């Protein structure tokens, strides 16, 4: 069967690990993390390109993996600094 994975949206930098949860489907059926697949994250703390790796669980009837990228942006930090700067003038 053909699996589909929902888009992973960009996220704001927080200084902590960002772990988006993409929707994984087998046809129209939404699969369950931990039962059908696992998620692993790479470079998901610092600003820039991060990755989520979806790995099929053989005991859940799936195999293989897919690596998706998403961006961590510094928008929140920039806006906070700008706000602080404006409040002083």
């Amino acid at each position: 069967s053909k699996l589909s994975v929902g888009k992973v949206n960009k996220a704001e930098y927080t200084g902590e690990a960002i772990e988006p949860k993409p929707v994984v489907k087998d046809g129209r059926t939404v699969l369950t993390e931990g039962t059908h697949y696992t998620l692993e994250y790479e470079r998901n703390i610092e600003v820039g390109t991060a990755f989520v790796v979806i790995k099929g669980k053989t005991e859940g009837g799936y195999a293989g993996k897919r690596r998706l990228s998403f961006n961590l942006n510094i928008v929140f930090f920039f806006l906070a600094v700008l706000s602080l700067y404006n409040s002083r003038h």
Side-chain angles (χ1 to χ4, degrees):
S1 61
K2 184 168 177 146
L3 298 182
S4 63
V5 179
K7 181 180 174 186
V8 178
N9 295 321
K10 59 186 172 184
E12 289 184 4
Y13 169 78
T14 64
E16 298 182 12
I18 302 295
E19 298 184 348
K21 306 287 186 187
V23 176
V24 181
K25 293 183 178 181
D26 183 349
R28 293 183 182 194
T29 304
V30 176
L31 301 182
T32 305
E33 180 186 358
T35 301
H36 302 111
Y37 63 91
T38 60
L39 297 175
E40 294 179 7
Y41 298 89
E42 301 170 356
R43 301 192 331 213
N44 62 328
I45 297 175
E46 300 301 322
V47 172
T49 303
F51 300 91
V52 56
V53 180
I54 303 161
K55 292 184 176 182
K57 294 186 72 166
T58 53
E59 59 271 20
Y62 297 91
K65 67 181 178 178
R66 184 164 177 194
R67 188 174 188 235
L68 302 173
S69 65
F70 62 98
N71 290 315
L72 289 177
N73 296 324
I74 198 159
V75 173
F76 177 78
F77 177 75
F78 176 75
L79 291 175
V81 170
L82 183 61
S83 177
L84 179 62
Y85 177 79
N86 285 338
S87 68
R88 291 185 175 172
H89 288 82

